[in-house]
């Protein structure tokens, strides 16, 4: 069944998200995988892939919002700037399965630095940080933290 396959392949998606994906497929009993991920006859991406992209961007936006909430509770919600150490703590809370090495790789990408340069980053403007996180390709590593 397509739902169970999608749930296995996308374990972080809830039942409603999986059903949204299934809803884009004309016949969920007979599925041509190429048609899910390949272009339609007109050259447009498939409805399945459109929905998958939409969910991805929604999930990233939610993840950044959750990171910001954790960051605000750690450093104070009225701050205009955040320290990178506080962001690392926010990752520990929001995405506990993400290793510190993965967090550092992501932050190096966000700040366009080598990993050994991260310790030199001073306080970062809140809005700039949130914008960079949104455009960084950020994804959750595991289930939501507590």
């Amino acid at each position: 069944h397509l739902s169970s396959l999608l749930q296995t392949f996308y374990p972080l998606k809830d039942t409603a998200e999986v059903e949204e994906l299934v809803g884009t497929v004309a016949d969920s009993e007979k599925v041509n995988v190429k048609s899910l991920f390949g272009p339609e006859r007109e050259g447009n991406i498939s409805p399945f892939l459109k929905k998958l992209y939409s969910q991805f961007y929604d999930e990233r936006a939610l993840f950044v919002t959750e990171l910001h909430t954790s960051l605000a509770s750690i450093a104070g919600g009225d701050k205009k700037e955040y320290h990178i150490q506080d962001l690392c703590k926010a990752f520990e809370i929001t995405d506990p399965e993400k290793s510190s090495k993965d967090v550092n790789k992501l932050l190096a990408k966000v700040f366009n630095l080598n990993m050994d340069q991260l310790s030199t980053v001073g306080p970062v403007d809140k809005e700039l940080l949130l914008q960079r996180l949104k455009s960084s390709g950020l994804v959750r590593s595991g289930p939501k933290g507590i």
Side-chain angles (χ1 to χ4, degrees):
H1 196 250
L2 183 59
S3 296
S4 57
L5 287 172
L6 290 173
Q7 192 67 62
T8 301
F9 196 72
Y10 299 108
L12 299 180
K13 291 196 179 296
D14 62 30
T15 304
E17 291 170 318
V18 169
E19 290 308 314
E20 284 179 348
L21 290 171
V22 171
T24 66
V25 179
D27 180 2
S28 63
E29 296 301 318
K30 288 178 149 185
V31 178
N32 177 345
V33 175
K34 272 184 151 178
S35 70
L36 294 179
F37 295 97
E40 294 181 315
R41 291 178 199 199
E42 303 84 34
N44 298 324
I45 63 172
S46 70
F48 177 85
L49 205 48
K50 282 180 191 173
K51 179 53 74 177
L52 195 60
Y53 282 146
S54 171
Q55 288 179 353
F56 171 76
Y57 290 116
D58 290 348
E59 289 162 8
R60 182 187 310 161
L62 178 61
F63 188 31
V64 170
T65 299
E66 291 170 358
L67 271 172
H68 180 234
T69 300
S70 294
L71 196 52
S73 71
I74 292 166
D78 58 341
K79 296 246 177 157
K80 299 246 187 261
E81 296 181 327
Y82 291 120
H83 292 274
I84 199 164
Q85 295 83 359
D86 294 330
L87 183 57
C88 290
K89 289 177 191 170
F91 269 105
E92 289 175 16
I93 294 168
T94 310
D95 192 3
E97 288 193 24
K98 192 176 291 302
S99 71
S100 59
K101 184 177 178 180
D102 288 341
V103 169
N104 286 338
K105 282 182 186 177
L106 175 71
L107 294 178
K109 181 180 174 186
V110 166
F111 293 107
N112 198 24
L113 299 169
N114 293 323
M115 284 180 44
D116 59 343
Q117 295 173 305
L118 284 175
S119 61
T120 66
V121 175
V124 180
D125 177 76
K126 174 175 77 173
E127 294 306 317
L128 176 64
L129 175 64
L130 295 175
Q131 187 57 43
R132 286 186 175 190
L133 287 170
K134 285 177 186 172
S135 62
S136 69
L138 179 68
V139 292
R140 189 180 299 278
S141 295
K144 292 180 182 181
I146 298 172

